[in-house]
Amino acid sequence: MRLDGAFHASSRAWIRCNNEMQPKTPPIYAELARLLADKGTQRINGGVASNRTRALAHETLFGFVRELHAGGKFVQHLRNLDASHALWLVTHWSQRKIAPSTLAQRMTALRKLYRWIGKSDALSSAAEHLASLPDDARRVHYAADKSKAWTEHDIDVPEAIARADRLDARFGLMLRMVAAFGLRRSEVLQCKPWIADRGIALRIFPGEAKGGRPREIPIEKPWQRNILDLVKSNLGKTESMGWAQGAGGRQIQDRARLKYCKGRYARCMRAIGITKDRVGTTGHGLRAEYAENMALIQGVIPPTLGGRGDQMPADELSAKLRHVSENLGHSRESVTSAYYGSFRQTPAPKPIAKARKSTRDSKP
């Protein structure tokens, strides 16, 4: 089912469910479906919300109503929502000790709902309750306090890529591109290396990049050029890196291709043993590996490897970290602290970054 059709289908499903449970469906469900159809297609900045964002908003806001009804707050209409309902929800969530990041996301969605119905002022009591919680219950820690990189979890990167080659040669090429250019999963799957190669940089186009933000990743080292040339030699000039065929050579329809490729990529990652449970990090850790390596190439020892904020003048450090952030597709240095930590925190004592085997040491 297409996501944009999922909103109304989900609304009907909840109405049917409630019809079975009670004689009359509360009008608030239909009202909320209409509100989402009217308001849920736009972002705060005026842009168009993606299908995924709209589907998530739909499920989250309907979830608020279901929680209220399950808790004995039988609100019938959107206009009946008031400060007491918002306070009850926030109190309920804090008592359940949900993760700070989830709490922050739900509070954002609650603010959106109350703004849509013209009752933003009714959230003051809920906000005060949230502010009264202990820091560890409401503060989201985005900065990494330890390395997520494969090498720092005793994963031999060239050997892992060799395992990938034996499992699926195309998957091995993908891992080389992630290690060399720090690509996200969806970016590497959609990348067309021959078209993306700009000589001195790898181009990530708007349709491939998260949030539609294009970027050019500099080719700064010979081994990056060698990896890109190797990948190009194995692909057609208009071919993307993702799989075009499934089991038995069945051609995958374009509309379903990215979803299929993401699933297959995850299955391949599990097959070579890279999971949080088994090795303490995930496939995304290879992107963290790139972030740390690029920082080291810039002459910066990142916090996750024991680096301190006084290793060079602040403006020089900021400029080099901004370069790494832009390569990763982020405009703010603070966002990439999730990969290599924050200099505002005191790094854990550890030796200077150990020597790493680059992907250039792995055999094609």
Side-chain angles (χ1 to χ4, degrees), residues 150-170:
W150 284 12
T151 299
E152 297 303 309
H153 287 80
D154 296 322
I155 299 170
D156 186 311
V157 176
E159 198 278 326
I161 291 176
R163 292 202 306 274
D165 287 337
R166 292 191 293 271
L167 174 70
D168 184 317
R170 202 176 192 90

Side-chain angles (χ1 to χ4, degrees), residues 198-221:
R198 291 295 191 258
I200 61 172
L202 183 79
R203 174 74 170 172
I204 306 300
F205 294 93
E208 302 164 356
K210 183 177 181 180
R213 287 188 71 246
R215 69 187 187 278
E216 291 197 349
I217 306 170
I219 300 174
E220 302 179 71
K221 293 294 178 180

Side-chain angles (χ1 to χ4, degrees), residues 213-249:
R213 287 188 71 246
R215 69 187 187 278
E216 291 197 349
I217 306 170
I219 300 174
E220 302 179 71
K221 293 294 178 180
W223 54 270
Q224 290 177 297
R225 166 51 60 188
N226 293 341
I227 286 175
L228 182 54
D229 287 345
L230 169 67
V231 171
K232 287 168 60 180
S233 70
N234 283 274
L235 296 177
K237 292 189 177 181
T238 61
E239 190 177 358
S240 63
M241 297 204 66
W243 295 275
Q245 294 182 333

Side-chain angles (χ1 to χ4, degrees), residues 102-274:
T102 304
L103 184 59
Q105 290 167 357
R106 290 186 183 180
M107 193 62 190
T108 298
L110 194 61
R111 288 193 184 97
K112 181 185 295 184
L113 174 59
Y114 272 67
R115 184 177 68 252
W116 284 348
I117 64 175
K119 294 187 177 182
S120 297
D121 294 342
L123 286 176
S124 57
S125 297
E128 289 174 5
H129 177 77
L130 191 64
S132 71
L133 297 177
D135 284 351
D136 59 354
R138 60 182 171 84
R139 184 171 297 169
V140 183
H141 300 282
Y142 292 107
D145 55 3
K146 62 180 180 179
S147 178
K148 301 174 184 177
W150 284 12
T151 299
E152 297 303 309
H153 287 80
D154 296 322
I155 299 170
D156 186 311
V157 176
E159 198 278 326
I161 291 176
R163 292 202 306 274
D165 287 337
R166 292 191 293 271
L167 174 70
D168 184 317
R170 202 176 192 90
F171 181 55
L173 295 175
M174 293 177 195
L175 294 192
R176 285 176 171 84
M177 288 291 283
V178 176
F181 298 102
L183 304 183
R184 300 177 176 95
R185 178 180 61 176
S186 60
E187 291 172 348
V188 75
L189 291 170
Q190 297 177 91
C191 178
K192 296 179 178 179
W194 281 93
I195 297 173
D197 187 355
R198 291 295 191 258
I200 61 172
L202 183 79
R203 174 74 170 172
I204 306 300
F205 294 93
E208 302 164 356
K210 183 177 181 180
R213 287 188 71 246
R215 69 187 187 278
E216 291 197 349
I217 306 170
I219 300 174
E220 302 179 71
K221 293 294 178 180
W223 54 270
Q224 290 177 297
R225 166 51 60 188
N226 293 341
I227 286 175
L228 182 54
D229 287 345
L230 169 67
V231 171
K232 287 168 60 180
S233 70
N234 283 274
L235 296 177
K237 292 189 177 181
T238 61
E239 190 177 358
S240 63
M241 297 204 66
W243 295 275
Q245 294 182 333
R250 178 178 58 84
Q251 195 73 17
I252 306 166
Q253 294 182 354
D254 286 344
R255 194 171 67 181
R257 187 175 175 187
L258 182 58
K259 181 179 179 181
Y260 167 81
C261 289
K262 285 182 177 180
R264 184 166 174 177
Y265 186 95
R267 291 191 295 274
C268 286
M269 200 65 73
R270 289 194 296 271
I272 64 170
I274 308 296

